[in-house]
């Protein structure tokens, strides 16, 4: 046949013209989207540039400690230097100004410490005559730590005396003199804070030995072990006011071959409350009935002892402890009307309830601070400052005619200690080594009180976004008691998002995230609940604001800074009409999840936004739409990027669905930081590194012997137990009143699926690649970096699935054909290679 070049050229140009029309149409769509006028920072300045709280934190120093973290800070007496203790056994000194500079390592006890869970180097104090060169106690200090004899339990709680060099450059390891060494059957509740009083007596706070609910039975006892109280001893051994030890802790729990308890090199003050010449009591006790008194503070001006006692499952306590006090643990927790146990028939000591408590809506572990007497902030003079380790809330407690507590700041998570500098600045140190200064926050902006004043929606009834407000959707939403949610972002004009595939994105200052909540009331109607705003502030941190909708949904109104509000709706569902309660979060509660660990922003990241959305009638990958609209600082290809999945997405594996859900709901706290949480819920962490499967539990709300996930055993899987609870042990601990049954059923399926996996463990990882997966055709490709010896495909009941295959040994490549055209579901591919056996999870969806 003769070749017609003219016709071919015409067809070519016609095809090119059609293609250009198509490309031009889409380009025009992108151009229109990209040219949408963006808002100015902070919604055109309608929101403050800083969190609207009376005090703020400013970072002024940092002491890097790698995978270690801090437990205490104490000033070296009459110097400008501080010492910081790390959990792994290092004593570091650093200069006050500039804060954190000139760091020196004074001592390393890591070779003799237990550092599991809450164990480690926990307490330090200096002798009152530390700087008196004429005293025998010159350069003397005391350390409290958990001594390890073997890698297994039990461990020992040890209080020792040390000497520091004259030039303050070293703590002399060979100067150690042990005062107390006591067998301890658990790694937790070690407390360990130390101080001297005005009389020169040494105090040591001790916990109840560990676990939950007075598991070891130490509370309310003064005759067995030195646990669950405050000890007071005389390390100067002044026989004119103290006497020899008459009774020693029991030795029943010391395994054969382990070191003995030690109690020596100190005397008992004669006026201790449980002094008993007949040796019926351990006379070291000054107070009893404390659970885990992590932080103490001795006010030398008033001779008062402040104790922050970390609570069990319900409340946190601030206590003022006097001689002979009984803190009431474990028969009473805080001021709750429902005691944990029946009150003992006979009370030892003086019942001393806490002067202040807060529940676990406000935090989860109290960190005691100090009484402030500096001149820099006279309004805080005489106030006791304290914080919560998990929420970051920082309070000031003032005692006038009654106790008044003021929230100063929703501070950073993981505050571990307070200290005051020479000029009266109030500082905290985080576990990570960051040093922050508490400063007055001058707020001049007035936050609009009504949603309609913000110009966010063109049509309030339809929630049609105004110009510059971009809608977005996510793959795996955070569970909010079944509420319906919609989301938008207001990215400031002329600014872009610093994109990253696996790590959190970096958003410019003034970015505002908007999330709207509503609830289905009947089959055909909904009720608006709230519209939340989360603002990236000028310090690249953030704060949240909530607007509560009125009864007729005509407007929403700003909730106060610590206002606690809830609504009860009558909801019609398949079970009939019933009450449904919605609790509006306070601003401090917002920050429990929007925390520094999560880089303050939840849900807006690669794996969540990597999905298809509709824009002006056309299907787009959402990440590519954002890129084409100029929102990112770089080009990207969505098909190569991380993707997460909805819990009900049947096209994804059970593991991917559950782990996406855990990332959305849990990873802002459970992020794998050492010493913070026992497992890593981030989707990007390989399951083999996440400590989820057969991971250990140690929370006071967990059941001893359970695992985070016990393959094939729902009853022993703590994650399932806690996630299907609506009691004190529920997870997440706040913002949930309704169970997510879809998630719980999927989690159960995964737990049972894992029982099959446990019979075929991988001995190596990432040797074999399978694609496509999910499998939608009759075959798939399997490729290995090592020679393939054999392969098998099994279902979740362990039955072998017949397959056929072609193999190319030169490339370690195999095409596998599925003989059963109807097979669907989850299967395990077990591949034996020259480097070992790997088990891959496959999904067949045809």
């Amino acid at each position: 046949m003769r070749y017609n070049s003219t016709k071919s050229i015409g067809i070519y140009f016609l095809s090119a013209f059609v293609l250009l029309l198509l490309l031009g149409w889409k380009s025009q769509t992108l151009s229109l989207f990209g040219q949408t006028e963006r808002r100015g920072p902070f919604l055109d300045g309608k929101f403050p540039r800083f969190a609207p709280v009376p005090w703020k934190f400013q970072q002024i120093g940092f002491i890097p400690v790698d995978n270690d973290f801090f437990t205490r800070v104490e000033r070296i007496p009459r110097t400008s230097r501080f010492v910081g203790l790390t959990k792994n056994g290092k004593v570091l000194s650093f200069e006050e100004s500039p804060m954190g500079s000139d760091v020196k390592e004074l001592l390393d006890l890591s070779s003799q410490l237990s550092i599991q869970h809450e164990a480690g180097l926990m307490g330090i104090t200096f002798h009152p005559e530390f700087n008196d060169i004429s005293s025998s106690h010159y350069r003397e200090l005391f350390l409290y730590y958990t001594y390890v004899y073997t890698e297994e339990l039990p461990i020992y709680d040890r209080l020792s005396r040390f000497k520091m060099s004259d030039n303050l450059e070293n703590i002399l390891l060979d100067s150690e003199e042990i005062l107390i060494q006591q067998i301890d059957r658990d790694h937790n509740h070690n407390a360990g804070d130390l101080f001297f009083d005005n009389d020169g007596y040494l105090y040591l706070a001790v916990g109840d030995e560990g676990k939950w609910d007075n598991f070891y039975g130490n509370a309310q006892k003064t005759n067995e072990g030195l646990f669950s109280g405050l000890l007071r001893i005389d390390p100067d051994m002044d026989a004119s006011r103290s006497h020899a030890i008459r009774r020693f802790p029991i030795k029943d729990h010391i395994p054969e071959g382990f070191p003995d308890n030690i109690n020596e090199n100190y005397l008992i003050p004669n006026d201790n409350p449980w002094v008993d010449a007949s040796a019926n009591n351990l006379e070291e006790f000054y107070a009893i009935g404390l659970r885990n008194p992590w932080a103490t503070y001795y006010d030398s001006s008033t001779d008062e002892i402040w104790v922050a006692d970390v609570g069990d499952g319900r409340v946190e306590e601030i206590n003022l402890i006097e001689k002979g006090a009984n803190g009431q643990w474990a028969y009473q927790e805080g001021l709750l009307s429902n005691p944990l146990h029946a009150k003992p028939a006979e009370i030892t000591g003086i019942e001393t309830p806490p002067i202040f408590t807060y529940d676990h809506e406000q935090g989860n572990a109290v960190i005691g601070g100090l009484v402030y007497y500096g001149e820099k902030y006279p309004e805080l003079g005489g106030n006791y400052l304290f914080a919560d380790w998990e929420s970051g809330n920082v309070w000031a407690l003032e005692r006038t005619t009654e106790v008044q507590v003021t929230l100063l700041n929703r501070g950073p998570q993981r505050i571990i200690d307070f200290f005051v500098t020479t000029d009266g600045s109030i500082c905290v140190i985080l576990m990570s080594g960051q040093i922050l200064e508490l400063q007055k926050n001058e707020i001049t902006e007035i936050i609009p009180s009504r949603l309609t004043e913000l110009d966010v929606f063109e049509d309030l009834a339809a929630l049609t976004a105004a110009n510059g407000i971009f809608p977005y959707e996510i793959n795996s939403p955070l569970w909010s008691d079944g509420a319906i949610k919609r989301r938008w972002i207001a990215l400031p004009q002329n600014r872009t998002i610093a994109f990253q595939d696996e790590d959190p994105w970096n958003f410019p200052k003034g970015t505002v995230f908007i999330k709207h909540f509503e609830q289905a009331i009947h089959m055909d109607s909904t009720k608006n609940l709230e519209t939340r705003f989360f603002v990236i502030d000028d310090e690249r941190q953030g704060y949240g604001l909530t607007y509560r909708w009125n009864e007729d949904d005509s407007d929403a109104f700003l909730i106060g800074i610590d206002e606690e509000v809830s609504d009860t709706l009558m909801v019609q569902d398949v079970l009939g009409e019933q009450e449904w309660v919605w609790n509006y979060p306070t601003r401090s509660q917002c920050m429990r999840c929007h925390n520094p660990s999560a880089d303050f922003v939840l849900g807006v990241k690669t794996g969540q936004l990597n999905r298809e959305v509709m824009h002006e009638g056309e299907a787009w990958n959402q990440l590519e739409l954002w890129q084409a609209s100029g929102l990112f600082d770089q080009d990207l290809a969505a098909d190569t990027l991380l993707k997460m999945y909805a819990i009900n997405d049947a096209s994804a594996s059970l593991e991917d669905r559950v782990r996406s859900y855990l990332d959305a709901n849990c990873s802002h706290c459970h992020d794998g930081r050492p010493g913070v949480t026992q497992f890593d819920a981030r989707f990007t962490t390989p399951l083999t590194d996440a400590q989820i499967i057969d991971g250990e539990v140690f929370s006071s709300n967990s059941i001893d012997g359970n695992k985070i996930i016990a393959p094939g055993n729902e009853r022993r899987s703590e994650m399932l137990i806690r996630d299907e609870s609506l009691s004190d042990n529920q997870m997440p601990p706040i913002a949930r009143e309704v169970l997510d049954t879809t998630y719980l059923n999927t989690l159960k399926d995964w737990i049972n699926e894992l029982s099959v996996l446990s019979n075929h463990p991988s001995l190596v990882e990432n040797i074999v690649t399978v694609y496509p997966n999910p499998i939608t055709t009759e075959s798939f490709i399997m490729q290995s970096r090592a020679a393939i010896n054999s392969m098998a495909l099994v279902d979740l009941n362990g039955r072998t699935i017949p397959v056929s295959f072609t193999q190319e040994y030169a490339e370690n490549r195999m095409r596998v054909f599925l003989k059963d055209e109807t097979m669907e579901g989850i299967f395990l591919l077990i591949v034996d290679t020259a480097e070992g056996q790997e088990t891959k999870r496959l999904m067949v969806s045809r």
Side-chain angles (χ1 to χ4, degrees):
M1 184 176 69
R2 190 173 180 180
Y3 179 70
N4 188 330
S5 60
T6 303
K7 185 175 180 179
S8 297
I9 293 171
I11 291 173
Y12 170 82
F13 277 111
L14 179 61
S15 300
F17 179 71
V18 171
L19 181 61
L20 284 171
L21 281 176
L22 291 173
L23 291 174
W25 177 82
K26 192 163 188 175
S27 175
Q28 180 66 17
T29 301
L30 296 182
S31 177
L32 289 173
F33 192 76
Q35 289 178 8
T36 298
E37 183 181 347
R38 291 207 219 149
R39 305 288 282 269
F42 303 99
L43 272 186
D44 296 325
K46 289 185 168 64
F47 288 143
R49 294 168 49 244
F50 297 98
V53 290
W55 297 78
K56 66 178 181 178
F57 277 107
Q58 179 69 43
Q59 181 170 338
I60 60 171
F62 177 65
I63 306 175
V65 285
D66 299 326
N67 291 324
D68 201 356
F69 52 85
F70 283 92
T71 56
R72 308 278 181 196
V73 169
E74 189 81 13
R75 182 187 289 276
I76 300 176
R78 291 175 19 206
T79 74
S80 62
R81 296 189 71 84
F82 288 88
V83 291
L85 307 187
T86 76
K87 185 176 186 293
N88 291 357
K90 292 186 177 181
V91 183
L92 306 175
S93 77
F94 55 91
E95 188 64 41
E96 175 182 286
S97 180
M99 184 60 70
S101 64
D102 188 27
V103 179
K104 293 183 172 64
E105 182 179 305
L106 306 182
L107 180 67
D108 185 355
L109 290 172
S110 58
S111 63
Q112 58 195 69
L113 257 70
S114 166
I115 59 171
Q116 295 295 313
H117 303 321
E118 294 176 3
L121 179 54
M122 297 297 171
I124 184 171
T125 194
F126 296 90
H127 194 280
E129 298 172 4
F130 177 82
N131 287 305
D132 185 353
I133 197 168
S134 65
S135 170
S136 61
H137 305 294
Y138 176 67
R139 294 294 187 255
E140 190 171 278
L141 70 147
F142 297 81
L143 295 174
Y144 177 80
Y145 62 95
T146 50
Y147 169 71
V148 61
Y149 179 65
T150 69
E151 293 183 359
E152 304 297 327
L153 285 169
I155 58 177
Y156 292 85
D157 302 326
R158 179 183 280 186
L159 172 66
S160 290
R161 184 193 330 250
F162 289 85
K163 287 283 190 177
M164 187 181 282
S165 61
D166 286 354
N167 62 5
L168 307 179
E169 296 284 330
N170 296 285
I171 296 174
L172 309 176
L173 181 60
D174 59 3
S175 71
E176 181 175 17
E177 182 180 74
I178 300 171
L179 281 70
I180 296 174
Q181 177 173 290
Q182 176 180 227
I183 198 77
D184 189 330
R185 292 166 286 179
D186 203 282
H187 291 112
N188 297 321
H189 301 184
N190 300 302
D193 213 359
L194 296 164
F195 64 87
F196 277 91
D197 68 9
N198 289 333
D199 294 324
Y201 292 128
L202 176 61
Y203 292 72
L204 166 63
V206 289
D208 68 3
E209 200 175 2
K211 290 192 168 59
W212 56 90
D213 198 16
N214 192 28
F215 183 88
Y216 294 105
N218 291 310
Q220 302 298 312
K221 291 181 179 178
T222 61
N223 61 349
E224 292 187 5
L226 296 173
F227 294 108
S228 192
L230 190 63
L231 310 181
R232 181 192 193 219
I233 63 175
D234 181 3
D236 292 358
M237 304 183 70
D238 184 349
S240 68
R241 61 177 188 171
S242 304
H243 60 270
I245 304 167
R246 297 184 179 119
R247 185 182 180 92
F248 297 87
I250 62 172
K251 304 178 180 181
D252 297 359
H253 312 300
I254 301 177
E256 184 176 351
F258 271 60
D260 201 353
N261 287 338
I262 295 174
N263 296 85
E264 60 187 18
N265 300 313
Y266 67 90
L267 297 179
I268 304 294
N270 292 335
D271 64 343
N272 269 10
W274 285 283
V275 166
D276 183 356
S278 59
N280 290 322
N281 295 321
L282 293 165
E283 298 177 321
E284 289 91 340
F285 278 108
Y286 184 82
I288 66 169
L290 301 175
R291 178 181 178 271
N292 187 18
W294 165 258
T296 62
Y297 179 78
Y298 176 69
D299 188 345
S300 59
S301 300
T302 62
D303 203 31
E304 291 178 320
I305 299 171
W306 294 82
V307 174
D309 197 7
V310 178
D312 194 45
R314 300 185 291 178
V315 297
E316 305 298 308
E317 298 185 4
I318 299 296
N319 301 269
L320 272 175
I321 295 299
E322 297 181 350
K323 184 192 301 185
N326 184 332
Q328 302 179 303
W329 177 255
Y331 63 89
Q332 175 69 40
E333 187 177 13
L335 303 171
L336 297 174
S337 57
N338 50 335
L340 290 172
H341 303 286
K343 189 174 181 177
E346 292 187 18
I347 298 297
T348 301
I350 306 165
E351 281 195 280
T352 307
I355 66 168
F356 178 73
T357 67
Y358 63 90
D359 62 27
H360 285 178
E361 292 286 313
Q362 302 299 317
N364 204 44
V366 64
I367 297 295
L370 48 84
V371 178
Y372 180 71
Y373 288 111
E375 297 181 358
K376 187 170 184 176
Y377 299 117
E379 61 268 51
L380 296 179
N383 281 213
Y384 175 71
L385 307 181
F386 64 101
D388 186 85
W389 176 78
E390 183 175 292
S391 70
N393 286 350
V394 177
W395 294 276
L397 186 154
E398 181 180 11
R399 284 188 302 139
T400 51
T401 55
E402 59 183 22
V403 172
Q404 295 182 341
V405 176
T406 303
L407 177 68
L408 300 182
N409 185 278
R410 304 184 314 273
Q413 286 187 306
R414 316 315 182 207
I415 291 173
I416 207 66
D417 208 350
F418 287 75
F419 60 95
V420 176
T421 62
T422 305
D423 69 352
S425 297
I426 301 166
C427 297
V428 298
I429 189 167
L430 308 188
M431 294 179 71
S432 60
Q434 290 175 279
I435 300 172
L436 311 177
E437 181 185 331
L438 187 66
Q439 301 173 348
K440 287 294 295 291
N441 190 16
E442 301 297 336
I443 302 171
T444 58
E445 302 96 331
I446 298 175
I447 304 173
S449 61
R450 301 162 68 103
L451 179 63
T452 48
E453 297 174 37
L454 298 173
D455 300 325
V456 171
F457 300 110
E458 283 185 357
D459 184 337
L460 197 64
L463 293 180
T464 304
N467 204 27
I469 309 294
F470 295 90
Y472 66 92
E473 301 174 23
I474 63 174
N475 286 318
S476 181
L478 186 144
W479 172 252
S480 300
D481 285 358
I484 302 165
K485 292 184 279 189
R486 296 171 63 180
R487 302 166 180 83
W488 301 264
I489 182 175
L491 190 71
Q493 57 196 9
N494 303 320
R495 299 290 186 270
T496 56
I497 300 165
F499 175 86
Q500 299 186 85
D501 182 8
E502 296 192 359
D503 293 327
W505 298 348
N506 193 337
F507 296 93
K509 302 172 184 178
T511 302
V512 178
F513 300 91
I514 306 159
K515 185 155 60 171
H516 175 78
F517 298 74
E518 58 190 64
Q519 172 63 18
I521 304 299
H522 300 289
M523 297 295 291
D524 58 352
S525 65
T526 61
K527 171 72 181 75
N528 290 336
L529 300 168
E530 61 175 283
T531 302
R532 293 182 194 169
F533 295 81
F534 192 80
V535 183
I536 303 299
D537 67 18
D538 260 2
E539 294 179 338
R540 293 193 183 277
Q541 298 183 15
Y543 64 87
L545 301 168
T546 295
Y547 288 78
R548 176 192 184 192
W549 285 79
N550 58 10
E551 189 171 346
D552 63 1
D553 284 354
S554 61
D555 207 344
F557 297 84
L558 181 66
I559 292 176
I561 186 169
D562 254 349
E563 186 179 357
E564 296 186 6
V565 184
S566 65
D567 282 328
T568 301
L569 308 178
M570 297 307 298
V571 175
Q572 184 77 35
D573 59 18
V574 293
L575 300 176
E577 193 174 58
Q578 54 187 322
E579 288 187 348
W580 187 85
V581 178
W582 181 257
N583 296 310
Y584 297 84
T586 65
R587 295 184 200 175
S588 59
Q589 288 172 339
C590 287
M591 302 309 295
R592 290 194 64 181
C593 297
H594 291 274
N595 57 52
S597 172
D599 275 0
F600 301 101
V601 177
L602 306 180
V604 191
K605 54 187 178 182
T606 304
Q608 286 281 30
L609 270 69
N610 192 359
R611 56 172 292 150
E612 184 177 282
V613 295
M614 298 300 296
H615 173 65
E616 296 186 355
E618 184 182 3
W620 283 83
N621 177 278
Q622 187 169 219
L623 293 176
E624 293 176 350
L625 178 62
W626 280 34
Q627 174 199 314
S629 304
L631 303 190
F632 291 136
D633 65 345
Q634 60 186 272
D635 294 336
L636 50 88
D639 58 352
T640 67
L641 297 176
L642 186 73
K643 178 179 174 60
M644 294 164 61
Y645 302 89
I647 195 66
N648 59 354
D649 185 350
S651 69
S653 68
L654 290 172
E655 178 185 319
D656 282 346
R657 288 149 64 184
V658 170
R659 297 210 59 203
S660 297
Y661 189 96
L662 296 180
D663 185 287
N665 288 270
C666 312
S667 66
H668 42 267
C669 289
H670 294 277
D671 62 353
R673 285 173 291 171
V676 177
T677 54
Q678 63 270 40
F679 70 93
D680 190 340
R682 292 174 296 179
F683 187 76
T684 52
T685 301
L687 188 60
T688 51
D689 299 331
Q691 299 185 60
I692 292 176
I693 308 305
D694 286 324
E696 298 295 331
V697 301
F698 66 91
S699 165
S700 61
N701 283 318
S702 298
I703 299 172
D704 195 35
N706 280 2
K707 304 296 184 181
I708 303 297
I709 290 292
N713 194 334
E714 297 177 15
R715 188 175 61 86
R716 284 295 185 184
S717 294
E718 193 68 21
M719 182 178 288
L720 175 61
I721 294 169
R722 302 283 292 277
D723 289 355
E724 66 178 0
S725 171
L726 291 174
S727 187
D728 292 336
N729 69 332
Q730 76 171 41
M731 289 298 288
I734 62 172
R736 181 167 68 78
E737 304 290 338
V738 178
L739 297 180
D740 186 349
T741 55
T742 302
Y743 158 64
L744 293 172
N745 289 334
T746 308
L747 178 60
K748 291 175 184 177
D749 290 344
W750 185 46
I751 291 171
N752 293 318
E753 174 188 297
L754 287 166
S755 66
V756 180
L757 275 173
S758 64
N759 294 326
H760 303 282
S762 288
L763 303 180
V764 293
E765 294 287 342
N766 303 320
I767 299 293
V768 177
T769 302
V770 174
Y771 55 93
N773 189 16
I775 300 163
T776 57
T777 60
E778 75 281 356
S779 68
F780 62 89
I781 297 294
M782 177 180 67
Q783 187 160 333
S784 172
R785 75 174 186 221
I788 300 172
N789 299 324
S790 65
M791 61 82 65
L793 190 66
V794 301
D795 65 16
L796 295 185
N797 293 315
R799 294 178 298 222
T800 301
I801 305 299
V803 296
S804 62
F805 54 86
T806 60
Q807 190 169 16
E808 304 171 22
Y809 283 102
E811 297 181 4
N812 301 320
R813 177 185 171 98
M814 178 185 296
R815 177 174 290 277
V816 181
F817 294 89
L818 306 175
K819 291 187 175 182
D820 185 351
E821 295 180 357
T822 64
M823 64 181 287
E824 288 192 329
I826 302 294
F827 299 86
L828 303 181
L829 179 66
I830 305 162
V831 186
D832 184 49
T833 75
E835 293 187 21
Q837 178 180 297
E838 181 172 7
T839 299
K840 307 286 287 188
R841 183 186 285 99
L842 306 184
M843 167 164 283
V844 180
S845 178
R846 297 187 294 179

